[in-house]
Amino acid sequence: MYIDRITLFQISLPLKIPLEVSFGRWTHRQAVLVRVEGEGAEGWGECPTGAFPDYSCETYATVLYALEHFLVPPLFGLDITGLDDLGPTLGRVRGHPFAKTGLEWAILDWLARAGGVSVAEKLGGVRSSVATGVSLGIEADVGKLFAHVDRFLAEGYRRIKLKIKPGWDLELVHAFRRRYPQTPVMLDANSAYTLADVSLFQALDEYDLMMIEQPLAHDDIYFHSLLQAQICTPLSLDESIHSPGHAAAAIALRACGNINIKPGRMGGPSVAARVHDICRDAGLPVWHGGMLETGIGRVANIAMASLPNFLLPADLSASDRYWEDDIIEPAVTLNPNGTVDVPTGPGIGVSVRLNFVERLTEQKRVLSRG
Ligand code: OSB
Ligand code: MG
């Protein structure tokens, strides 16, 4: 199958509740959406970026640049029957994983729709629904945070993730456990600590936490292995796992108890699936992270999370946890048992509200064959 046209939409969508983490505060998702058209079919993918290179070194501007100049042009004229056909072309470009992910997802959606199968089937998914939690940011005081916790637990979310930073950690967890003795809870430090903080993590061992995500440097695996050896709570690696090689290193070093998989951080669903397989073969569970995706990236990630080794609750909450109005139809909803359904229709299984996307668009690029 040949691609005729690829359109890039840089949109901006305001979050219902800004998400504050150890290094900053997100108020909008400034994503790049990729629309692939050809042979009478279309497909959509999302690059879940922002304006500033904080979580990742990429931004919507670098994603637009990499797609327009390096990643999209060589795809025109390529006969594509599966993601494997993209490997040599996309692999020539080093880095730019968030740019690659929107492109890979759009092509996978396009191929799946043309073939009348779902993206989950294409990826080898085995689950019809995915257990999800909710990730909650740093607030001005615990009262404000616990009001959110109460509401999300009442909606049916079964696991709470709390963002922490120095000064918003041990006391917070102590207060949380007094109020919610049984609720499954985990922490995400987004790289705010060093190995000198080991006594804090030993103190946190007393609170029956599911895991602590990325406590140390964003590019570190080794020092996480030294920390893991001194505490019982499983560590989870997010920021520092970009490739199958990183996952293999984390496994060999016993640096963590599980890995957070985000296709955007890894360069797309093809790499994410390889990381999934390496962890499965090593007996290390994975779970699906989130990047505050709009509905397009969200349903694709839910399809990814239907693979067998996704054994812990995901950060793939329902559309109404993030947006007043999502750009897909139907929106993602939460089942009463705290799961979201894996779409079964062709491709990503939802339709994109094109008029709404056009209204949210700040920059657009139309790239055509020939
Ligand atoms: O560290 O997991 C993270 C959001 C954006 C970037 C990084 C992270 C997050 C979240 C929110 O924790 C997850 C979500 O609900 O999408
Ligand atoms: Mg994280």
Side-chain angles (χ1 to χ4, degrees), residues 161 163 188 190 213 238-239 260 262:
K161 165 167 144 181
K163 295 288 187 179
D188 188 357
N190 288 105
E213 196 180 335
D238 172 355
E239 280 89 332
N260 166 332
K262 294 176 183 171

Side-chain angles (χ1 to χ4, degrees), residues 265-336:
R265 198 182 68 232
M266 298 174 174
S270 58
V271 186
R274 278 158 54 211
V275 172
H276 164 275
D277 293 351
I278 283 176
C279 293
R280 177 201 56 202
D281 295 347
L284 192 79
V286 301
W287 59 283
H288 208 296
M291 289 292 301
L292 310 171
E293 283 87 355
T294 75
I296 293 176
R298 180 161 312 280
V299 289
N301 287 342
I302 292 170
M304 183 89 224
S306 72
L307 268 63
N309 194 41
F310 283 88
L311 297 172
L312 297 158
D315 273 350
L316 298 171
S317 315
S319 296
D320 69 0
R321 179 261 176 273
Y322 309 94
W323 320 114
E324 288 298 343
D325 202 11
D326 206 338
I327 61 175
I328 53 161
E329 233 163 29
V332 177
T333 54
L334 188 73
N335 298 317

Side-chain angles (χ1 to χ4, degrees), residues 38-53:
E39 314 238 2
E42 69 167 352
W44 286 85
E46 175 174 351
C47 309
T49 48
F52 190 81

